[in-house]
Amino acid sequence: MWCPNCKREYSGGETVCADCGVPLVEMLVSVRPPEPELEFLLYIADRAELEEAMDLLEEAEIPFQCRSRGGSGYRRMTRGQGGGALYVDSRYTHRALRLLRRFDEDYRRPFGDEELDAAIADYEADFGAASPEEAEPAPTEGYRMVFVFLGLFAALVAAAALAAVLG
């Protein structure tokens, strides 16, 4: 018999650990956390950009692996080598993509609403829709500035009209 708490072995007829007071078990079971399921995120050819992306993932505490081309496939790499492919734990894919989207070559070129809708549809087909906690809130600052501008413009027009009437 074994104590699951302190891992002490008992050979007599004991049923409770003398040190811990925990019920004894016949066999100790080692529980390892499951390995994360890695998912390809993106390939970054420039070494400096790759290291910057790796730093961002580390700061955000997103589990990742970086691999470089080696022979017939990919191999794990260490810092200081050329570009590489980033793989992240599949539970963090959406968060990592938002964090690293500036490294995506397609992100650097502007595109229209139809292309954006098609890209979102392709992304959701490949990775699924973002969970509600990952969804980014709609920006409201731009709308506030429009109303501030319109208010100031109306005040200037009213002041000019008042000056014309009085003057």
PDB file of all heavy atoms in Angstrom, residues 8-9 12-13 15 24 27-29 39 41 44 60 62 71 102 110 129 131 135 137-138 153-155 159:
ATOM      1  N   ARG A   8       4.913   7.371   0.767  1.00  0.00           N
ATOM      2  CA  ARG A   8       5.515   6.378   1.666  1.00  0.00           C
ATOM      3  C   ARG A   8       4.858   5.024   1.422  1.00  0.00           C
ATOM      4  O   ARG A   8       3.646   4.925   1.233  1.00  0.00           O
ATOM      5  CB  ARG A   8       5.328   6.817   3.110  1.00  0.00           C
ATOM      6  CG  ARG A   8       5.952   5.881   4.095  1.00  0.00           C
ATOM      7  CD  ARG A   8       5.836   6.432   5.495  1.00  0.00           C
ATOM      8  NE  ARG A   8       6.175   5.398   6.447  1.00  0.00           N
ATOM      9  CZ  ARG A   8       5.996   5.485   7.732  1.00  0.00           C
ATOM     10  NH1 ARG A   8       5.493   6.579   8.247  1.00  0.00           N
ATOM     11  NH2 ARG A   8       6.322   4.490   8.517  1.00  0.00           N
ATOM     12  N   GLU A   9       5.676   3.956   1.432  1.00  0.00           N
ATOM     13  CA  GLU A   9       5.162   2.612   1.204  1.00  0.00           C
ATOM     14  C   GLU A   9       4.889   1.931   2.543  1.00  0.00           C
ATOM     15  O   GLU A   9       5.673   2.048   3.484  1.00  0.00           O
ATOM     16  CB  GLU A   9       6.159   1.781   0.393  1.00  0.00           C
ATOM     17  CG  GLU A   9       5.652   0.393   0.070  1.00  0.00           C
ATOM     18  CD  GLU A   9       6.632  -0.415  -0.768  1.00  0.00           C
ATOM     19  OE1 GLU A   9       7.790  -0.007  -0.921  1.00  0.00           O
ATOM     20  OE2 GLU A   9       6.214  -1.474  -1.245  1.00  0.00           O
ATOM     21  N   GLY A  12       2.379  -3.513   5.850  1.00  0.00           N
ATOM     22  CA  GLY A  12       1.487  -4.200   6.798  1.00  0.00           C
ATOM     23  C   GLY A  12       0.038  -4.045   6.383  1.00  0.00           C
ATOM     24  O   GLY A  12      -0.300  -3.802   5.231  1.00  0.00           O
ATOM     25  N   GLY A  13      -0.860  -4.158   7.340  1.00  0.00           N
ATOM     26  CA  GLY A  13      -2.280  -4.069   7.061  1.00  0.00           C
ATOM     27  C   GLY A  13      -2.846  -2.679   7.270  1.00  0.00           C
ATOM     28  O   GLY A  13      -4.049  -2.516   7.458  1.00  0.00           O
ATOM     29  N   THR A  15      -4.332   1.040   6.654  1.00  0.00           N
ATOM     30  CA  THR A  15      -5.240   1.582   5.642  1.00  0.00           C
ATOM     31  C   THR A  15      -5.148   3.103   5.571  1.00  0.00           C
ATOM     32  O   THR A  15      -5.687   3.713   4.649  1.00  0.00           O
ATOM     33  CB  THR A  15      -6.702   1.188   5.941  1.00  0.00           C
ATOM     34  OG1 THR A  15      -7.038   1.660   7.244  1.00  0.00           O
ATOM     35  CG2 THR A  15      -6.888  -0.313   5.853  1.00  0.00           C
ATOM     36  N   LEU A  24      -4.716   5.029   2.285  1.00  0.00           N
ATOM     37  CA  LEU A  24      -3.688   4.449   1.413  1.00  0.00           C
ATOM     38  C   LEU A  24      -4.313   3.876   0.147  1.00  0.00           C
ATOM     39  O   LEU A  24      -5.483   3.508   0.125  1.00  0.00           O
ATOM     40  CB  LEU A  24      -2.935   3.348   2.170  1.00  0.00           C
ATOM     41  CG  LEU A  24      -2.205   3.788   3.440  1.00  0.00           C
ATOM     42  CD1 LEU A  24      -1.544   2.579   4.101  1.00  0.00           C
ATOM     43  CD2 LEU A  24      -1.189   4.866   3.155  1.00  0.00           C
ATOM     44  N   MET A  27      -1.794   1.398  -5.564  1.00  0.00           N
ATOM     45  CA  MET A  27      -0.795   1.744  -6.578  1.00  0.00           C
ATOM     46  C   MET A  27      -0.771   3.256  -6.783  1.00  0.00           C
ATOM     47  O   MET A  27      -1.824   3.904  -6.811  1.00  0.00           O
ATOM     48  CB  MET A  27      -1.162   1.054  -7.899  1.00  0.00           C
ATOM     49  CG  MET A  27      -0.089   1.072  -8.938  1.00  0.00           C
ATOM     50  SD  MET A  27      -0.422  -0.059 -10.307  1.00  0.00           S
ATOM     51  CE  MET A  27      -1.765   0.757 -11.110  1.00  0.00           C
ATOM     52  N   LEU A  28       0.437   3.815  -6.895  1.00  0.00           N
ATOM     53  CA  LEU A  28       0.570   5.243  -7.181  1.00  0.00           C
ATOM     54  C   LEU A  28       0.439   5.459  -8.677  1.00  0.00           C
ATOM     55  O   LEU A  28       0.994   4.715  -9.478  1.00  0.00           O
ATOM     56  CB  LEU A  28       1.924   5.771  -6.709  1.00  0.00           C
ATOM     57  CG  LEU A  28       2.114   5.879  -5.204  1.00  0.00           C
ATOM     58  CD1 LEU A  28       3.534   6.338  -4.897  1.00  0.00           C
ATOM     59  CD2 LEU A  28       1.123   6.841  -4.598  1.00  0.00           C
ATOM     60  N   VAL A  29      -0.294   6.482  -9.041  1.00  0.00           N
ATOM     61  CA  VAL A  29      -0.492   6.807 -10.453  1.00  0.00           C
ATOM     62  C   VAL A  29       0.138   8.173 -10.701  1.00  0.00           C
ATOM     63  O   VAL A  29      -0.180   9.147 -10.021  1.00  0.00           O
ATOM     64  CB  VAL A  29      -1.987   6.837 -10.821  1.00  0.00           C
ATOM     65  CG1 VAL A  29      -2.170   7.224 -12.271  1.00  0.00           C
ATOM     66  CG2 VAL A  29      -2.625   5.495 -10.528  1.00  0.00           C
ATOM     67  N   GLU A  39      -0.263  23.964 -33.326  1.00  0.00           N
ATOM     68  CA  GLU A  39      -0.899  24.310 -34.589  1.00  0.00           C
ATOM     69  C   GLU A  39      -0.021  25.334 -35.296  1.00  0.00           C
ATOM     70  O   GLU A  39       0.469  26.279 -34.677  1.00  0.00           O
ATOM     71  CB  GLU A  39      -2.274  24.896 -34.269  1.00  0.00           C
ATOM     72  CG  GLU A  39      -3.131  25.128 -35.458  1.00  0.00           C
ATOM     73  CD  GLU A  39      -4.558  25.471 -35.029  1.00  0.00           C
ATOM     74  OE1 GLU A  39      -4.920  25.340 -33.854  1.00  0.00           O
ATOM     75  OE2 GLU A  39      -5.300  25.894 -35.914  1.00  0.00           O
ATOM     76  N   LEU A  41       1.149  28.490 -37.075  1.00  0.00           N
ATOM     77  CA  LEU A  41       0.630  29.852 -37.011  1.00  0.00           C
ATOM     78  C   LEU A  41       1.058  30.639 -38.238  1.00  0.00           C
ATOM     79  O   LEU A  41       0.235  31.079 -39.020  1.00  0.00           O
ATOM     80  CB  LEU A  41       1.120  30.529 -35.734  1.00  0.00           C
ATOM     81  CG  LEU A  41       0.507  31.859 -35.398  1.00  0.00           C
ATOM     82  CD1 LEU A  41      -0.968  31.696 -35.092  1.00  0.00           C
ATOM     83  CD2 LEU A  41       1.208  32.477 -34.208  1.00  0.00           C
ATOM     84  N   ILE A  44       7.968  33.189 -40.574  1.00  0.00           N
ATOM     85  CA  ILE A  44       8.622  34.498 -40.635  1.00  0.00           C
ATOM     86  C   ILE A  44      10.047  34.269 -41.120  1.00  0.00           C
ATOM     87  O   ILE A  44      10.826  33.574 -40.479  1.00  0.00           O
ATOM     88  CB  ILE A  44       8.622  35.191 -39.257  1.00  0.00           C
ATOM     89  CG1 ILE A  44       7.192  35.368 -38.756  1.00  0.00           C
ATOM     90  CG2 ILE A  44       9.341  36.522 -39.337  1.00  0.00           C
ATOM     91  CD1 ILE A  44       7.088  35.936 -37.353  1.00  0.00           C
ATOM     92  N   ALA A  60       3.232  37.357 -23.666  1.00  0.00           N
ATOM     93  CA  ALA A  60       1.804  37.069 -23.554  1.00  0.00           C
ATOM     94  C   ALA A  60       1.553  35.696 -22.922  1.00  0.00           C
ATOM     95  O   ALA A  60       0.406  35.293 -22.771  1.00  0.00           O
ATOM     96  CB  ALA A  60       1.145  37.136 -24.929  1.00  0.00           C
ATOM     97  N   ILE A  62       2.025  32.747 -24.153  1.00  0.00           N
ATOM     98  CA  ILE A  62       1.402  31.829 -25.104  1.00  0.00           C
ATOM     99  C   ILE A  62       2.426  30.733 -25.407  1.00  0.00           C
ATOM    100  O   ILE A  62       3.513  31.027 -25.920  1.00  0.00           O
ATOM    101  CB  ILE A  62       0.999  32.559 -26.404  1.00  0.00           C
ATOM    102  CG1 ILE A  62      -0.067  33.612 -26.093  1.00  0.00           C
ATOM    103  CG2 ILE A  62       0.511  31.570 -27.452  1.00  0.00           C
ATOM    104  CD1 ILE A  62      -0.450  34.476 -27.266  1.00  0.00           C
ATOM    105  N   GLY A  71      16.647  19.536 -43.616  1.00  0.00           N
ATOM    106  CA  GLY A  71      16.557  18.309 -44.403  1.00  0.00           C
ATOM    107  C   GLY A  71      15.200  18.152 -45.046  1.00  0.00           C
ATOM    108  O   GLY A  71      14.726  19.017 -45.762  1.00  0.00           O
ATOM    109  N   ARG A 102       0.909  41.606 -37.534  1.00  0.00           N
ATOM    110  CA  ARG A 102       1.754  42.550 -38.265  1.00  0.00           C
ATOM    111  C   ARG A 102       2.921  41.871 -38.973  1.00  0.00           C
ATOM    112  O   ARG A 102       3.544  42.442 -39.838  1.00  0.00           O
ATOM    113  CB  ARG A 102       2.260  43.635 -37.327  1.00  0.00           C
ATOM    114  CG  ARG A 102       3.305  43.172 -36.355  1.00  0.00           C
ATOM    115  CD  ARG A 102       3.928  44.396 -35.683  1.00  0.00           C
ATOM    116  NE  ARG A 102       4.871  43.986 -34.686  1.00  0.00           N
ATOM    117  CZ  ARG A 102       4.749  44.268 -33.403  1.00  0.00           C
ATOM    118  NH1 ARG A 102       3.738  44.952 -32.973  1.00  0.00           N
ATOM    119  NH2 ARG A 102       5.667  43.872 -32.560  1.00  0.00           N
ATOM    120  N   PRO A 110      -2.939  46.905 -48.113  1.00  0.00           N
ATOM    121  CA  PRO A 110      -4.349  47.219 -47.864  1.00  0.00           C
ATOM    122  C   PRO A 110      -5.261  46.409 -48.784  1.00  0.00           C
ATOM    123  O   PRO A 110      -4.869  46.029 -49.882  1.00  0.00           O
ATOM    124  CB  PRO A 110      -4.436  48.715 -48.188  1.00  0.00           C
ATOM    125  CG  PRO A 110      -3.293  48.971 -49.098  1.00  0.00           C
ATOM    126  CD  PRO A 110      -2.217  47.986 -48.756  1.00  0.00           C
ATOM    127  N   ALA A 129     -14.636  30.058 -35.298  1.00  0.00           N
ATOM    128  CA  ALA A 129     -14.894  31.439 -34.888  1.00  0.00           C
ATOM    129  C   ALA A 129     -14.193  31.707 -33.558  1.00  0.00           C
ATOM    130  O   ALA A 129     -14.002  30.809 -32.747  1.00  0.00           O
ATOM    131  CB  ALA A 129     -16.392  31.675 -34.752  1.00  0.00           C
ATOM    132  N   SER A 131     -13.657  32.781 -29.791  1.00  0.00           N
ATOM    133  CA  SER A 131     -14.530  32.675 -28.624  1.00  0.00           C
ATOM    134  C   SER A 131     -14.926  34.078 -28.171  1.00  0.00           C
ATOM    135  O   SER A 131     -14.234  35.048 -28.471  1.00  0.00           O
ATOM    136  CB  SER A 131     -13.804  31.935 -27.506  1.00  0.00           C
ATOM    137  OG  SER A 131     -12.662  32.654 -27.112  1.00  0.00           O
ATOM    138  N   ALA A 135     -13.042  37.958 -28.708  1.00  0.00           N
ATOM    139  CA  ALA A 135     -13.561  38.937 -29.667  1.00  0.00           C
ATOM    140  C   ALA A 135     -13.154  40.340 -29.233  1.00  0.00           C
ATOM    141  O   ALA A 135     -13.231  40.699 -28.069  1.00  0.00           O
ATOM    142  CB  ALA A 135     -15.079  38.832 -29.755  1.00  0.00           C
ATOM    143  N   PRO A 137     -13.492  44.303 -28.891  1.00  0.00           N
ATOM    144  CA  PRO A 137     -14.607  45.250 -28.864  1.00  0.00           C
ATOM    145  C   PRO A 137     -14.526  46.215 -30.045  1.00  0.00           C
ATOM    146  O   PRO A 137     -13.448  46.513 -30.542  1.00  0.00           O
ATOM    147  CB  PRO A 137     -14.419  45.986 -27.538  1.00  0.00           C
ATOM    148  CG  PRO A 137     -12.973  45.809 -27.198  1.00  0.00           C
ATOM    149  CD  PRO A 137     -12.547  44.514 -27.816  1.00  0.00           C
ATOM    150  N   ALA A 138     -15.670  46.690 -30.474  1.00  0.00           N
ATOM    151  CA  ALA A 138     -15.719  47.632 -31.595  1.00  0.00           C
ATOM    152  C   ALA A 138     -15.130  48.966 -31.152  1.00  0.00           C
ATOM    153  O   ALA A 138     -15.395  49.432 -30.046  1.00  0.00           O
ATOM    154  CB  ALA A 138     -17.155  47.828 -32.046  1.00  0.00           C
ATOM    155  N   PHE A 153     -18.061  72.485 -35.203  1.00  0.00           N
ATOM    156  CA  PHE A 153     -18.431  73.100 -36.468  1.00  0.00           C
ATOM    157  C   PHE A 153     -19.760  73.864 -36.321  1.00  0.00           C
ATOM    158  O   PHE A 153     -19.891  75.001 -36.787  1.00  0.00           O
ATOM    159  CB  PHE A 153     -18.531  72.033 -37.562  1.00  0.00           C
ATOM    160  CG  PHE A 153     -18.880  72.582 -38.909  1.00  0.00           C
ATOM    161  CD1 PHE A 153     -17.941  73.303 -39.638  1.00  0.00           C
ATOM    162  CD2 PHE A 153     -20.142  72.391 -39.460  1.00  0.00           C
ATOM    163  CE1 PHE A 153     -18.254  73.820 -40.879  1.00  0.00           C
ATOM    164  CE2 PHE A 153     -20.460  72.901 -40.699  1.00  0.00           C
ATOM    165  CZ  PHE A 153     -19.515  73.618 -41.414  1.00  0.00           C
ATOM    166  N   ALA A 154     -20.723  73.249 -35.641  1.00  0.00           N
ATOM    167  CA  ALA A 154     -22.019  73.909 -35.435  1.00  0.00           C
ATOM    168  C   ALA A 154     -21.851  75.183 -34.602  1.00  0.00           C
ATOM    169  O   ALA A 154     -22.487  76.211 -34.879  1.00  0.00           O
ATOM    170  CB  ALA A 154     -22.996  72.948 -34.760  1.00  0.00           C
ATOM    171  N   ALA A 155     -20.976  75.135 -33.606  1.00  0.00           N
ATOM    172  CA  ALA A 155     -20.741  76.314 -32.771  1.00  0.00           C
ATOM    173  C   ALA A 155     -20.111  77.438 -33.588  1.00  0.00           C
ATOM    174  O   ALA A 155     -20.478  78.622 -33.437  1.00  0.00           O
ATOM    175  CB  ALA A 155     -19.851  75.951 -31.576  1.00  0.00           C
ATOM    176  N   ALA A 159     -21.762  81.046 -34.350  1.00  0.00           N
ATOM    177  CA  ALA A 159     -21.055  82.281 -34.000  1.00  0.00           C
ATOM    178  C   ALA A 159     -20.934  83.196 -35.219  1.00  0.00           C
ATOM    179  O   ALA A 159     -21.113  84.420 -35.111  1.00  0.00           O
ATOM    180  CB  ALA A 159     -19.665  81.947 -33.436  1.00  0.00           C
TER     181      ALA A 159
END
